[in-house]
Amino acid sequence: MTSTDVTPSRKSRTNWPQLFFIATAVIAVLYLPLAINYTWPLFFSGASRLQDDVNTAVNGNDYAVGNGSVEDFRHADYARHRGVMLVHTTLGALALGLALFQFSTRLRTAWPAVHRWTGRTYLALMTASMLTAIIFLIGSSPISHYSGRAFDLQLWMLALGTLFGGWYALVAIRRRDIVAHRAWMTYSIALMMTAPLLRVLWIGIQPLLPQHVLLDNLGASAVLLGVIAPFSAAVAFMLTQRGRGTGDEKPAPANRYVGLLAVAALGSVGYVAQFAGLPEDIPPVYLAFHLVPAWLAIGIAGVGIRNGRAQGNPVREQRWRWLLTGVALAPVAASATALIAAPAYGATNAFIAGGMVGAPLAISLAFALVVHTAGTRARASGRVSRSVETPLAVG
């Protein structure tokens, strides 16, 4: 790992990439047994499901498996497609576990063959998991909940985005584009991390923000991850990049940042206005779980910009500014998606879809711009690694 953008001094420097990785690894490892075990009750009557056991212990049986739970709405679909679900959950969990080893510099340098085959195995397992997810989505209907169609749309976007990230990373390494390879592998893994994070959220937030049914927390959590998933991929990438300029770059004027904040504020106001027009039984957590993480992301990008300016590093400032543009446009994209989808989806599902798929699209496009320019700059400066001989060398 390399130095970060958030470094107050050498003595007090925090290794943010390492902390970021440790937190991700802990969540992924805890998720592994829950995912592998998830479909066992569909094959063996009376088998225990660890995820439901944990949820019941924290929130009670009614919330975990009663009316309004995933089990209540999806049991018939899961039972009908139990083979597909077995492949999806098991291989997806194994792929996520293997993915963590791809970020090990020691493994990459000491045992490059192991690193390469681990990467290839991740790609194969991830692809099988995402394709079976798509098969399930084709063979089943959205759940009959006011977030059902929006959540189905997000599942489609997650599956396709995960596939794109992993396979584009392979294309990039074939072209010896190390920057793009690492970035899009990180993006693919970040989208895969939405599965364990959803479980953490819908189980963990109920004691703090109690809702009547589990699906309300699931839907709100999915809105939250619409910002967190692509933004975390971008931040992970930014924290491991050294910005090096040509000497011609200059800091952006302050009014450009004022304009971006104004755009974010207008988009947020529009999203609030759309929520105000929804039925009264729609929990406000759907609104809060988009706006709060979006503005927190704006703040994080602002810190990156400030540090880039303080370090006299206009390249780093530029990258954080593009990421700021993406998160500033997230509320605008959410509002626009809600307006566009309303005739087909209805006002409520369209509003929720705005947070689930509109916002992450804006952030992902900004991420793509950062990655493209970082790769172009690396190639132009001749900083192309000669140590990578085969695909999927990450970290």
Side-chain angles (χ1 to χ4, degrees):
M1 295 294 184
T2 59
S3 60
T4 74
D5 289 326
V6 191
T7 54
S9 71
R10 288 188 178 273
K11 291 183 179 180
S12 61
R13 178 180 298 177
T14 301
N15 192 334
W16 292 108
Q18 186 177 51
L19 292 177
F20 194 92
F21 172 78
I22 290 172
T24 301
V26 168
I27 294 172
V29 169
L30 292 176
Y31 173 66
L32 266 170
L34 273 63
I36 292 173
N37 161 262
Y38 189 77
T39 58
W40 292 2
L42 301 175
F43 293 89
F44 309 105
S45 178
S48 177
R49 180 179 287 144
L50 294 177
Q51 176 180 295
D52 294 339
D53 292 344
V54 172
N55 200 357
T56 298
V58 175
N59 299 306
N61 189 72
D62 287 345
Y63 177 82
V65 295
N67 293 334
S69 66
V70 175
E71 175 67 11
D72 177 37
F73 277 88
R74 278 300 199 192
H75 178 80
D77 289 327
Y78 288 165
R80 188 166 57 251
H81 301 283
R82 60 183 181 175
V84 168
M85 287 301 298
L86 175 65
V87 173
H88 169 64
T89 58
T90 304
L91 297 191
L94 293 175
L96 190 55
L98 278 176
L100 300 178
F101 293 97
Q102 289 299 94
F103 293 96
S104 170
T105 302
R106 183 176 301 176
L107 178 66
R108 186 178 69 252
T109 54
W111 297 285
V114 174
H115 175 80
R116 290 193 293 268
W117 279 104
T118 301
R120 292 166 180 163
T121 305
Y122 162 79
L123 187 63
L125 295 176
M126 177 274 290
T127 300
S129 179
M130 293 304 106
L131 290 179
T132 47
I134 291 171
I135 292 170
F136 174 81
L137 291 170
I138 292 173
S140 60
S141 300
I143 57 177
S144 55
H145 183 262
Y146 51 71
S147 66
R149 296 184 68 190
F151 188 59
D152 245 36
L153 181 61
Q154 187 187 52
L155 292 176
W156 272 98
M157 295 300 101
L158 285 171
L160 295 174
T162 304
L163 286 167
F164 170 82
W167 282 95
Y168 191 79
L170 175 62
V171 172
I173 203 62
R174 293 289 190 187
R175 296 174 176 172
R176 305 186 68 80
D177 186 346
I178 311 302
V179 172
H181 170 69
R182 294 177 180 175
W184 287 109
M185 278 291 286
T186 301
Y187 184 85
S188 176
I189 294 165
L191 295 193
M192 289 202 74
M193 278 296 298
T194 57
L197 285 172
L198 268 178
R199 275 71 180 174
V200 170
L201 288 168
W202 84 51
I203 294 173
I205 66 174
Q206 176 65 8
L208 305 174
L209 299 170
Q211 305 296 330
H212 294 298
V213 297
L214 185 152
L215 284 179
D216 280 334
N217 278 333
L218 187 158
S221 299
V223 170
L224 180 79
L225 292 176
V227 173
I228 290 178
F231 185 73
S232 65
V235 170
F237 174 72
M238 300 281 275
L239 292 178
T240 56
Q241 290 296 303
R242 293 181 182 273
R244 294 183 180 136
T246 62
D248 298 328
E249 302 87 352
K250 298 185 182 301
N255 61 3
R256 184 173 301 180
Y257 297 113
V258 173
L260 288 174
L261 293 178
V263 168
L266 289 173
S268 300
V269 169
Y271 203 58
V272 170
Q274 289 175 325
F275 178 79
L278 300 181
E280 293 183 358
D281 61 338
I282 306 302
V285 70
Y286 281 95
L287 175 66
F289 272 31
H290 168 66
L291 292 181
V292 171
W295 280 94
L296 284 175
I298 287 170
I300 292 170
V303 171
I305 290 167
R306 181 200 66 188
N307 290 343
R309 292 174 76 96
Q311 297 162 6
N313 190 330
V315 173
R316 185 166 292 178
E317 178 192 350
Q318 181 189 63
R319 292 173 183 172
W320 281 107
R321 183 171 68 250
W322 284 332
L323 186 55
L324 173 64
T325 302
V327 292
L329 287 173
V332 177
S335 298
T337 300
L339 290 173
I340 294 170
Y345 275 58
T348 300
N349 254 291
F351 173 83
I352 296 172
M356 288 185 179
V357 300
L361 179 61
I363 299 171
S364 296
L365 289 175
F367 172 71
L369 177 61
V370 171
V371 173
H372 174 72
T373 55
T376 300
R377 189 179 298 277
R379 290 190 298 273
S381 63
R383 291 186 291 112
V384 178
S385 172
R386 296 182 180 179
S387 63
V388 181
E389 299 173 355
T390 56
L392 296 175
V394 186

